[in-house]
């Protein structure tokens, strides 16, 4: 298994993004409408990763700089986006490996806090993030496009400075 950086508009990233949108549709009834642009994931302002096994894309995830105070973000924030593992590859630790790589990359880029938004219909995501040290924020501290939705859950993790 290999984790490699790619552009958000790489054909394999587009394929997995379509699958994650189908997952959101199945779980929530709608796709994610967060505006995303490939430029958001270009270093040093972000990174997009794909996990491959035998040339087959199995998992994905990215981070992007997100500091807009009007949307609840703070200076130094890096937002996790599009964490996803194809059904057949779940339970192998791929999401955990991608998440660790994203955290290390964001830390190296000078980011001080990872932030993410997920939802109540993704209990496995909530469990993963909690087990990796993310904490749920209070309703008044929520951020992002879905911060006013009842089923939205926002989580953060402080990043220790790179040694």
């Amino acid at each position: 298994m290999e984790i490699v950086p790619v552009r958000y508009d790489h054909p394999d990233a587009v394929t997995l993004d379509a699958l994650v949108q189908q997952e959101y549709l199945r779980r929530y009834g709608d796709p994610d409408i967060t505006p995303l642009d490939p430029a958001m994931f270009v270093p040093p302002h972000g990174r997009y990763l794909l996990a491959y096994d035998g040339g087959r894309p199995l998992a994905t995830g990215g981070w992007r700089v997100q500091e807009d105070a009007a949307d609840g973000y703070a200076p130094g924030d890096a937002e996790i986006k599009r964490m996803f593992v194809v059904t057949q590859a779940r339970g192998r630790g791929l999401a955990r490996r991608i998440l660790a790589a994203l955290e290390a990359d964001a830390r190296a880029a000078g980011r001080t806090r990872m932030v993410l938004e997920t939802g109540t219909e993704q209990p496995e995501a909530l469990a993963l993030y909690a087990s990796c040290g993310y904490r749920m924020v209070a309703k008044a501290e929520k951020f992002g496009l879905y911060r006013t939705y009842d089923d939205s859950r926002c989580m953060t993790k402080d990043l220790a400075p790179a040694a």
Side-chain angles (χ1 to χ4, degrees):
M1 216 272 307
E2 174 184 32
I3 296 175
V4 298
V6 299
R7 285 187 48 91
Y8 180 65
D9 56 0
H10 182 283
D12 292 337
V14 171
T15 297
L16 290 188
D17 191 60
L19 291 175
V20 74
Q21 290 289 10
Q22 289 174 13
E23 187 83 10
Y24 296 146
L25 189 60
R26 185 178 68 77
R27 292 182 187 224
Y28 297 101
D30 292 301
D32 180 0
I33 60 168
T34 303
L36 297 177
D37 183 278
M40 295 174 173
F41 299 99
V42 175
H45 303 289
R47 173 79 70 184
Y48 204 78
L49 301 175
L50 283 178
Y52 287 93
D53 188 13
R56 184 169 165 243
L58 299 179
T60 186
W63 73 266
R64 64 180 178 160
V65 167
Q66 197 65 302
E67 296 182 326
D68 186 354
D71 287 334
Y73 298 102
D77 280 356
E79 182 184 35
I80 297 288
K81 294 303 295 178
R82 294 299 192 262
M83 288 289 295
F84 178 71
V85 178
V86 298
T87 305
Q88 314 87 294
R90 292 180 183 164
R92 295 172 42 187
L94 296 177
R96 190 174 301 277
R97 288 180 60 189
I98 287 179
L99 185 60
L102 293 173
E103 290 172 357
D105 190 75
R107 185 180 302 107
R111 302 283 92 197
T112 56
R113 184 175 80 150
M114 296 300 280
V115 301
L116 64 92
E117 187 275 332
T118 188
T120 58
E121 298 303 312
Q122 294 170 269
E124 59 282 287
L126 290 165
L128 167 73
Y129 296 130
S131 74
C132 290
Y134 286 77
R135 67 169 186 82
M136 200 82 63
V137 301
K139 187 174 182 177
E141 298 172 352
K142 288 173 70 173
F143 41 78
L145 181 65
Y146 294 100
R147 67 188 173 278
T148 61
Y149 288 59
D150 289 337
D151 60 356
S152 168
R153 299 295 179 266
C154 294
M155 303 177 84
T156 66
K157 179 178 180 179
D158 290 334
L159 296 176

